[in-house]
């Protein structure tokens, strides 16, 4: 389903049209009907510009399963604020190595978001990442920040929490690799189909000619 313009969009569009009409008709002397048309077009443009973004509009038009798209949209809507929380937390952490590690987690997460937006049918490969690992990572990052800000930091807990953030980096990387594996699987299938079509249309590829070496042909 296409995204509908928000109430804010309609208000902004109406205000724009209402302000533009007298400026054109009275201020610039544009004929009223022409000024009215220009104002309506300008207001409509504002409404469209402020309409909520639909991540999967092109995919919906292509006929991909609506249920899968809606579920992916819901999970991504919940996941994006978690990545923003982690980014904010990283900016407040004093330990450079830990802050950089959290920023790396955020980058991996956003790469995964982009991959799901391009193909929501791959959602099953990263569902646990979105619903479990990402929320836990945001919590652990905030816990590290709280420990670091303590008047008397608990060094043992800081070290354990830092180690957990490092392990989460491994989990995030593995889920990103799962999506890359999906791309490679798809490539293998496409290559097989292409080879089959070429064999059918122009015949199979002839065997490679033997290579001359000092010891003879191989």
């Amino acid at each position: 389903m296409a995204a509908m313009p928000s109430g804010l969009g309609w208000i902004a569009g109406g205000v724009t049209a209402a302000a533009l009409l007298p400026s054109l008709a009275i201020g610039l002397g544009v004929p009223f009907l022409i000024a009215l048309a220009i104002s309506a077009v300008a207001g409509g443009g504002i409404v469209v510009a402020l309409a909520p973004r639909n991540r999967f509009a092109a995919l919906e038009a292509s006929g991909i399963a609506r249920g899968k798209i809606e579920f992916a949209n819901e999970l991504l809507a919940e996941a994006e604020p978690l990545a923003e929380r982690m980014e904010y937390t990283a900016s407040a952490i004093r330990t450079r190595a830990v802050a950089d590690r959290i920023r790396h987690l955020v980058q991996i997460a956003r790469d995964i978001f982009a991959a799901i937006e391009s193909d929501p049918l791959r959602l099953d490969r990263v569902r646990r990442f979105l619903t479990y690992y990402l929320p836990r990572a945001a919590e652990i990052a905030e816990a590290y920040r709280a420990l670091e800000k303590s008047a008397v930091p608990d060094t043992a807990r800081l070290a354990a929490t830092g180690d957990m953030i490092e392990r989460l980096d491994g989990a995030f990387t593995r889920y990103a690799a799962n999506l890359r594996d999906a791309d490679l699987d798809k490539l293998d299938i496409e290559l097989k189909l292409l080879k089959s079509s070429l064999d059918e249309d122009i015949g199979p590829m002839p065997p490679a000619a033997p290579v001359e070496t000092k010891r003879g042909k191989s």
Side-chain angles (χ1 to χ4, degrees):
M1 181 181 296
M4 296 297 293
S6 65
L8 178 62
W10 287 112
I11 293 171
V15 169
T16 299
L20 190 59
L21 179 58
S23 298
L24 293 173
I26 300 173
L28 298 179
V30 176
F32 179 78
L33 291 179
I34 296 177
L36 181 62
I38 294 173
S39 300
V41 170
I46 295 294
V47 172
V48 172
L50 294 180
R53 183 172 71 99
N54 183 1
R55 296 184 181 89
F56 305 113
L59 294 175
E60 287 178 344
S62 70
I64 289 179
R66 186 182 303 275
K68 180 73 74 173
I69 292 173
E70 290 176 352
F71 187 48
N73 205 19
E74 290 172 6
L75 290 185
L76 290 179
E78 295 171 359
E80 285 174 344
L82 294 172
E84 292 173 2
R85 276 172 54 190
M86 291 171 64
E87 195 166 42
Y88 172 77
T89 301
S91 68
I93 288 176
R94 295 191 298 270
T95 305
R96 177 67 178 273
V98 175
D100 288 346
R101 181 78 67 181
I102 293 170
R103 291 190 183 95
H104 186 235
L105 296 180
V106 172
Q107 182 58 55
I108 294 174
R110 287 185 169 146
D111 288 345
I112 289 175
F113 298 166
I116 296 303
E117 285 194 21
S118 67
D119 184 2
L121 296 184
R122 294 187 290 178
L123 178 64
D124 290 340
R125 287 180 174 260
V126 292
R127 184 184 303 183
R128 183 167 171 78
F129 165 81
L130 294 172
T131 60
Y132 180 72
Y133 283 109
L134 185 60
R136 299 295 82 76
E139 293 171 0
I140 293 297
E142 289 168 348
Y144 190 95
R145 178 192 175 197
L147 286 167
E148 197 178 52
K149 289 176 62 179
S150 175
V152 183
D154 186 329
T155 55
R157 284 180 175 165
L158 270 172
T161 307
D163 290 344
M164 189 59 66
I165 290 170
E166 186 171 352
R167 293 194 65 190
L168 282 167
D169 190 288
F172 277 45
T173 301
R174 182 169 67 85
Y175 276 99
N178 283 346
L179 290 181
R180 288 194 295 272
D181 290 344
D183 289 335
L184 294 176
D185 291 344
K186 187 184 296 184
L187 175 62
D188 290 341
I189 293 172
E190 290 175 352
L191 289 174
K192 289 178 181 177
L193 291 174
L194 180 59
K195 179 181 181 301
S196 177
S197 296
L198 290 171
D199 288 349
E200 181 178 342
D201 290 338
I202 63 176
M205 182 181 295
V211 178
E212 288 283 353
T213 66
K214 291 182 178 180
R215 296 181 179 179
K217 294 182 179 181
S218 62

